[in-house]
Amino acid sequence: AWVGALLGTALWTCLDWRGFALLFAFFALGTAATKVGYAQKAEERLAQEKGGRRGAHNALAKTSVPILCALFAATSDERQLFALAAAAAFATAAADTVSSEIGQVYGRRTFLLTTLRPVPRGTQGAVSLEGTFAGLAAACGVAGVAWASGLLAPSGAPSGASWGAAVIVVAQRISTITGADQIVVLDRGAIAGIGTHDELLATCPTYAEIAES
């Protein structure tokens, strides 16, 4: 318990509640996947010990990299870069745990990537299609938490905001650009007007002519 409290405090300190949300998402997904088919896994001696409860050693092994990334995010000038790295590390850890736990229950064909030879379920390093897809879903879930919380948005931007970007659209139909922040009108290679849709209708004859056609 003290390890979990320490990890949560560190993440909250470095990445505020959004970092803690990543930790919570990771542990929630891992715990849920561990409980899936636990009786079957226990019968086949594949289940996690202590009823599926992971100890301090396992927790530190899975979270050491994202914790380090969070520390770098809090102490360096590259906060966004290391926040992204922390989210990616949590997503990877979630994918690893969930793919293993689900694959042990639902994996129809398990094999080693190193040899591509079929092996029994539960073999160290074995993968399955079912487990792989479950792991991918878990990774997307953690990434979704990071995105929805605004952890990956620029500082000061609202939750779920995208990275600052300029989008250039070359259009022949005005209907596709009426909501653009800035419209540049070209007439025979020369700039005939610059402004918003309403501004150009009032000040640019070329634009107004196109709009009326």
Side-chain angles (χ1 to χ4, degrees):
W2 66 269
V3 172
L6 181 63
L7 294 175
T9 301
L11 279 167
W12 196 295
T13 301
C14 297
L15 294 176
D16 58 57
W17 67 270
R18 296 170 294 185
F20 184 83
L22 290 180
L23 178 66
F24 180 82
F26 162 66
F27 276 116
L29 288 168
T31 299
T34 300
K35 296 298 183 181
V36 172
Y38 188 82
Q40 176 183 334
K41 286 183 283 190
E43 184 178 345
E44 298 176 1
R45 298 183 179 181
L46 301 176
Q48 184 74 25
E49 299 177 354
K50 300 179 181 180
R53 295 188 299 273
R54 288 175 165 80
H57 175 76
N58 187 276
L60 290 173
K62 294 288 187 179
T63 61
S64 57
V65 172
I67 290 293
L68 284 175
C69 292
L71 289 173
F72 285 131
T75 57
S76 74
D77 295 331
E78 300 294 339
R79 178 178 174 82
Q80 289 300 323
L81 178 63
F82 285 111
L84 174 62
F90 269 124
T92 302
D96 178 59
T97 300
V98 172
S99 62
S100 176
E101 293 292 345
I102 298 301
Q104 288 175 0
V105 179
Y106 297 109
R108 297 181 181 179
R109 182 176 181 272
T110 54
F111 59 92
L112 291 175
L113 287 176
T114 53
T115 62
L116 299 181
R117 293 181 179 178
V119 292
R121 284 187 302 180
T123 300
Q124 189 70 23
V127 298
S128 66
L129 186 62
E130 294 80 5
T132 300
F133 277 116
L136 179 60
C140 289
V142 173
V145 170
W147 182 260
S149 67
L151 180 65
L152 304 184
S155 179
S159 298
S162 60
W163 293 81
V167 179
I168 300 176
V169 178
V170 179
Q172 291 181 320
R173 295 185 178 181
I174 288 181
S175 60
T176 62
I177 56 171
T178 54
D181 296 326
Q182 195 78 284
I183 301 172
V184 178
V185 182
L186 297 178
D187 184 14
R188 299 180 181 179
I191 297 178
I194 300 176
T196 64
H197 173 70
D198 292 334
E199 290 172 347
L200 289 172
L201 284 176
T203 62
C204 180
T206 302
Y207 187 84
E209 182 180 347
I210 297 172
E212 292 174 359
S213 62

